[in-house]
Amino acid sequence: MDKRTELEIQRDKYEAVIEERDALISSLRSENEKLKRDLESERGFYREKVSQCDDLKKFIESQRNLMDIVLKNNQSIL
């Protein structure tokens, strides 16, 4: 083999490595985007749960306030 052919072979090997890396990068970017969407969806789920807890806390507080009023009214009647 002459020098040029050996260089061409080496170049082709390097090109193949570059193509493999490009494919891997593309695959990782796709997987990263999928994970990002999944995490954003999960975050939304937990934000909704936090909101539900806040609403439930407000409801419980309002029920306690109503019970206090009822108890005070009952005590004043007795």
Side-chain angles (χ1 to χ4, degrees), residues 3 8 13-15 18 20-22 32 36 40 44 48 50-51 64-65 67-70 73-74 76:
K3 203 63 166 162
E8 288 175 350
K13 288 179 184 178
Y14 292 149
E15 278 291 325
I18 290 170
E20 288 174 7
R21 296 303 184 260
D22 286 348
N32 188 41
K36 183 179 174 183
E40 286 173 348
E48 180 62 29
V50 166
S51 177
R64 282 184 183 150
N65 289 338
M67 287 182 66
D68 287 345
I69 293 170
V70 168
N73 285 340
N74 285 342
S76 67

Side-chain angles (χ1 to χ4, degrees), residues 41-68:
S41 174
E42 193 173 310
R43 181 177 58 190
F45 171 80
Y46 285 108
R47 283 183 187 217
E48 180 62 29
K49 291 298 179 188
V50 166
S51 177
Q52 289 173 356
C53 288
D54 290 343
D55 291 345
L56 187 56
K57 181 180 177 184
K58 289 176 188 174
F59 175 75
I60 290 169
E61 288 173 356
S62 70
Q63 292 301 304
R64 282 184 183 150
N65 289 338
L66 286 173
M67 287 182 66
D68 287 345

Side-chain angles (χ1 to χ4, degrees), residues 1-11:
M1 284 189 191
D2 66 332
K3 203 63 166 162
R4 186 170 191 278
T5 303
E6 289 177 29
L7 287 174
E8 288 175 350
I9 292 170
Q10 193 63 36
R11 183 188 181 284

